[in-house]
Amino acid sequence: MAEVAAVKEKRAKNPMRNLAIDKLVLNICVGESGDRLTRATKVLEGLTGQTPVESKARLTVRTFGIRRNEKIAVHATVRGEKAAELLERGLKVKEFELKKSNFSTTGSFGFGIQEHIDLGIKYDPSTGIYGMDFYVVLTRPATVSPAVVVPPARSATSTRSPRRTP
């Protein structure tokens, strides 16, 4: 019994096991281009302080009335203290409870909220109400970003110069 407690205490002290928020992605999918998408962009810009990116539909879905390459959503990636603050506000709306199905196998998680005004933004009748998705990517101190990974060195046979003939 004491051994198990000692192992748990040792794990808790290990700084390489600490989790940190790598990034928070906020997404508002309107399902159509035009004025509603523009208003959703303004909502996301006011929330994050960044210019959001517009996403296009991958394929045509006639039942939803969207065409391929039509702009239907906006998203923004937030990092650092701002991500932690927005995540705190989003989890407060969900009352700090998430389902098991919200978590991926890598430990990242996502959830959605029905109304953006629950985050503390004042309601504006000209803008309307939008739901949004939160997706959080967690990381540990030892994790290396794929963008930083250096490709392996070339083997000696490929760097050797060809033989010269006399």
Side-chain angles (χ1 to χ4, degrees):
M1 205 59 167
E3 294 173 9
V4 174
V7 169
K8 285 186 178 181
E9 186 177 323
K10 186 177 179 182
R11 280 189 180 170
K13 289 182 180 178
N14 187 350
M16 299 305 267
R17 293 187 57 84
N18 294 341
L19 287 174
I21 299 172
D22 185 28
K23 63 183 174 181
L24 167 67
V25 180
L26 296 171
N27 181 46
I28 299 178
C29 186
V30 180
E32 62 186 53
S33 56
D35 192 39
R36 286 191 65 211
L37 187 65
T38 308
R39 292 190 306 232
T41 303
K42 289 179 184 172
V43 166
L44 207 53
E45 192 170 347
L47 189 63
T48 62
Q50 303 177 33
T51 305
V53 179
E54 294 179 337
S55 302
K56 296 178 181 180
R58 292 185 184 165
L59 46 103
T60 301
V61 181
R62 291 184 67 163
T63 55
F64 296 141
I66 60 171
R67 293 183 303 277
R68 187 171 187 264
N69 290 330
E70 180 181 8
K71 294 177 181 175
I72 59 169
V74 289
H75 68 274
T77 302
V78 186
R79 298 175 193 269
E81 290 298 318
K82 186 75 172 172
E85 177 209 329
L86 288 172
L87 178 61
E88 181 81 21
R89 287 164 58 185
L91 286 173
K92 192 180 289 184
V93 172
K94 297 298 271 186
E95 298 174 351
F96 297 98
E97 291 184 8
L98 297 175
K99 299 177 188 174
K100 185 178 180 180
S101 60
N102 289 103
F103 291 85
S104 72
T105 55
T106 59
S108 300
F109 62 95
F111 60 94
I113 61 171
Q114 298 288 326
E115 299 177 351
H116 75 276
I117 57 173
D118 292 338
L119 296 171
I121 300 172
K122 192 169 181 180
Y123 174 67
D124 182 15
S126 64
T127 303
I129 296 176
Y130 293 97
M132 65 176 57
D133 299 321
F134 287 69
Y135 194 76
V136 182
V137 178
L138 301 174
T139 185
R140 292 187 191 272
T143 308
V144 178
S145 171
V148 178
V149 175
V150 179
R154 288 203 248 164
S155 65
T157 56
S158 64
T159 57
R160 206 177 285 159
S161 61
R163 278 191 182 166
R164 292 190 188 166
T165 56

